[in-house]
Amino acid sequence: CLVNFLFETERDKIKLSSTDLEIAVQCYIKGEITEDGGITIPSKRFADIIKELSADNEIEIKADETNQINIKSGKSKFNLMGISKTEYPVIPEPPEKNNFTIKKEIFASMLKKTVFATSRDSQRYVLNGVYFILRDGKLEMVATDGRRLAYVKTNITQVETKGKAIVPTKAVNDILRLLSSDINSEDVKIGIADNRISAEIDDITLLSTLVEGTFPNYEQVIPKKSDLKIKLNVKNALTAVKQMALLTDNRLSSDRSAAVKFYFSQDLLKISASSAGIGSGETELEIEYKNDPAEINFNPDFIKEILQSIDEDSVIFEFSNSLNPAVIFPETDKNYLCVIMPMRV
């Protein structure tokens, strides 16, 4: 019955619910209720029918004791077979405690700044999501796949709210789709408790189970001190990396052909790539740099995703040598940073 959605009446509204047992969505829509009840309706078939009906006509939906659903709109009539609502899984209510409210633009921005760094390796399941930390009047988010890490934080007004949770990548992407939809409300209510997270905005609620396990100690991964600090223009650096990425073989190996090299010399950054059987390339950026020459190699996709997540014109690029992780963060935003491991070639 998971290919169906649950259609119910609740007071003067229609309540729609759907779940895959990991993620559930509930929403309310206005309707004229003539008789209370509920039934599950085949999701895709129903959606296809509704799409083809004229927006000028009202839709009338009835269900009888045999679970037959009658749909009428204008001169069009349809019959579908549903399933009793008693067969549908029970969808839990949003957590009543440990809630906080945050601007949807801020929340969406934080998710976008971290979700790209989550792991896709099912064997490392605790990294398959964004780690939420609620403490001291702050919301922190962390994501890592072991090769790069993204961290962002913001203040929240509910200082008493505390907790930790690993929110699955799929749920994060679903929440982002919800926040980007045409919704009037500027705020989203988030609840984390009882091994689930809820996101409520207007008449829509999304619930998801959490990833079970202990997130690694991310703080020890973030370098406390770096010897070299360089300011880069985001747009120019991103363009240069994209150009050189065309000459890599797009693998996550330690092979030289998968890397883009950053070579720093007197007031100049050379970004280059070389791949046997493909070719080589090099481009230059003018920078302020007075130290000894230094070079470091990166996976170009990782650098691109980091630069694309930064809203400012300039970033600070810090590292000590070609073996230790580098830190990239916006020039003026101290609440966001990314750590990236270099490639050894």
Side-chain angles (χ1 to χ4, degrees):
C1 64
L2 295 182
V3 297
N4 289 18
F5 70 93
L6 182 58
F7 184 104
E8 297 175 287
T9 61
E10 191 170 300
R11 294 184 293 276
D12 60 342
K13 292 184 178 181
I14 299 170
K15 182 181 180 182
L16 308 178
S17 307
S18 182
T19 182
D20 63 2
L21 300 183
E22 292 182 355
I23 296 176
V25 177
Q26 296 180 327
C27 70
Y28 290 90
I29 58 175
K30 293 181 179 179
E32 182 180 336
I33 310 301
T34 58
E35 186 177 349
D36 288 327
I39 192 169
T40 74
I41 302 176
S43 303
K44 186 178 187 307
R45 191 74 62 187
F46 182 80
D48 290 342
I49 290 172
I50 298 302
K51 286 178 185 177
E52 298 302 324
L53 296 178
S54 172
D56 297 330
N57 295 323
E58 292 186 346
I59 301 171
E60 182 181 287
I61 301 172
K62 293 182 179 180
D64 60 25
E65 63 277 1
T66 66
N67 297 321
Q68 182 169 273
I69 304 156
N70 301 309
I71 305 168
K72 181 180 178 181
S73 180
K75 295 184 178 181
S76 301
K77 298 179 181 179
F78 300 88
N79 292 321
L80 291 176
M81 284 306 301
I83 300 174
S84 170
K85 76 171 189 176
T86 59
E87 301 291 324
Y88 206 73
V90 175
I91 297 176
E93 293 297 321
E96 295 182 0
K97 299 179 180 180
N98 226 36
N99 295 317
F100 65 95
T101 301
I102 186 172
K103 295 294 182 183
K104 70 176 183 179
E105 289 82 3
I106 294 175
F107 193 64
S109 175
M110 294 178 72
L111 294 176
K112 290 176 183 177
K113 290 178 183 296
T114 50
V115 68
F116 69 86
T118 59
S119 174
R120 295 165 180 80
D121 184 357
S122 60
Q123 301 298 315
R124 309 181 72 185
Y125 63 93
V126 296
L127 302 183
N128 297 163
V130 176
Y131 186 42
F132 284 40
I133 308 106
L134 291 158
R135 59 186 176 188
D136 303 325
K138 290 183 173 58
L139 167 64
E140 303 168 71
M141 294 186 192
V142 189
T144 182
D145 62 3
R147 296 180 294 266
R148 47 30 192 309
L149 177 147
Y151 170 89
V152 65
K153 65 180 178 180
T154 192
N155 294 323
I156 58 174
T157 56
Q158 292 88 339
V159 179
E160 73 283 355
T161 304
K162 292 178 172 58
K164 299 176 181 179
I166 306 173
V167 182
T169 303
K170 179 182 176 184
V172 170
N173 288 326
D174 285 343
I175 292 172
L176 280 171
R177 278 191 285 271
L178 172 61
L179 298 179
S180 65
S181 59
D182 187 15
I183 293 177
N184 294 326
S185 178
E186 296 182 356
D187 298 322
V188 56
K189 181 181 178 182
I190 306 297
I192 299 175
D194 304 324
N195 195 37
R196 66 182 185 272
I197 182 173
S198 65
E200 300 178 64
I201 185 165
D202 281 355
D203 288 328
I204 303 174
T205 301
L206 185 146
L207 300 103
S208 172
T209 57
L210 301 174
V211 177
E212 296 185 6
T214 302
F215 202 80
N217 184 353
Y218 66 90
E219 294 176 322
Q220 68 181 10
V221 177
I222 302 174
K224 301 298 185 290
K225 181 181 178 182
S226 299
D227 297 329
L228 303 174
K229 181 177 180 179
I230 307 104
K231 183 170 80 170
L232 299 178
N233 178 274
V234 173
K235 183 179 179 180
N236 294 342
L238 181 58
T239 298
V241 173
K242 283 182 175 180
Q243 290 176 354
M244 294 305 105
L246 299 173
L247 299 171
T248 66
D249 66 1
N250 198 30
R251 290 184 297 162
L252 296 181
S253 68
S254 60
D255 190 279
R256 181 184 300 273
S257 61
V260 166
K261 181 170 74 174
F262 282 55
Y263 181 78
F264 298 90
S265 59
Q266 188 74 18
D267 291 333
L268 191 67
L269 166 61
K270 292 183 180 180
I271 301 178
S272 62
S274 178
S275 181
I278 298 179
S280 62
E282 179 182 281
T283 187
E284 297 179 349
L285 299 177
E286 294 182 359
I287 60 173
E288 293 184 13
Y289 184 82
K290 307 298 182 183
N291 299 90
D292 294 333
E295 70 175 57
I296 189 168
N297 297 275
F298 295 111
N299 178 291
D301 290 336
F302 290 177
I303 292 290
K304 284 191 294 182
E305 288 178 321
I306 291 173
L307 293 176
Q308 287 168 343
S309 72
I310 292 176
D311 302 324
E312 296 188 13
D313 293 334
S314 300
V315 296
I316 304 300
F317 188 97
E318 293 185 350
F319 72 105
S320 294
N321 54 55
S322 61
L323 301 179
N324 292 330
V327 181
I328 302 174
F329 53 90
E331 182 181 16
T332 62
D333 183 3
K334 305 306 179 185
N335 293 321
Y336 182 48
L337 65 83
C338 295
V339 179
I340 179 170
M341 291 296 298
M343 296 182 69
R344 302 185 182 189
V345 297

